[in-house]
Amino acid sequence: MKILLVDDEAELVSALAERLTLRGIDAEFATDGDTAVDKVRAAAFDLAVLDVKMPGLNGLDLKKRLQRLRPGLRFIFVTGHGSEEDFRVGSAEAASYLVKPVPLDELIRKINEAMAR
């Protein structure tokens, strides 16, 4: 399983990728949408965990771009400050919609659930 984490909080996303890797999950990260697109063009990922609110390309728009590149890619959204509208749209667009800070065990559980679908 190969996961791409995308969040504009560099310290958070790099630490999360490292913690997932220590748990046996192949995880890479990007801190912006354009870098995420480049990574998905270069390698096959099974799932992307996207921050909803990012400067430039937000998570919902990034999902659309990544889906065009890799139609089978699965998604989980995370946010630190989502609105009810974000939740409604995000829940419809992804396997899960989680609020930060997300406990690592919960994220892994949601990743496994998304991959089982």
Side-chain angles (χ1 to χ4, degrees):
M1 172 178 4
K2 189 170 178 110
I3 307 283
L4 178 62
L5 306 165
V6 186
D7 196 306
D8 60 314
E9 296 179 51
E11 288 181 24
L12 169 81
V13 73
S14 65
L16 188 55
E18 184 177 333
R19 291 177 71 197
L20 287 171
T21 299
L22 290 172
R23 298 257 186 126
I25 297 172
D26 185 5
E28 292 187 28
F29 71 92
T31 57
D32 61 78
D34 291 332
T35 303
V37 168
D38 291 343
K39 285 183 175 277
V40 169
R41 277 191 183 120
F45 290 89
D46 300 299
L47 184 136
V49 178
L50 308 178
D51 186 10
V52 174
K53 303 271 185 184
M54 294 186 292
L57 192 58
N58 70 49
L60 295 171
D61 292 336
L62 176 57
K63 177 192 178 273
K64 292 173 187 165
R65 288 183 63 186
L66 296 179
Q67 239 174 354
R68 283 193 297 271
L69 292 170
R70 304 273 183 208
L73 189 61
R74 293 176 176 98
F75 297 91
I76 292 174
F77 284 123
V78 296
T79 188
H81 40 71
S83 67
E84 186 175 328
E85 176 66 10
D86 288 340
F87 179 78
R88 185 184 62 72
V89 173
S91 295
E93 294 285 327
S96 294
Y97 182 95
L98 305 169
V99 177
K100 292 190 257 180
V102 178
L104 185 62
D105 289 336
E106 181 180 359
L107 178 59
I108 291 171
R109 185 171 55 81
K110 294 296 185 179
I111 288 169
N112 289 328
E113 285 175 8
M115 293 307 298
R117 291 182 184 163

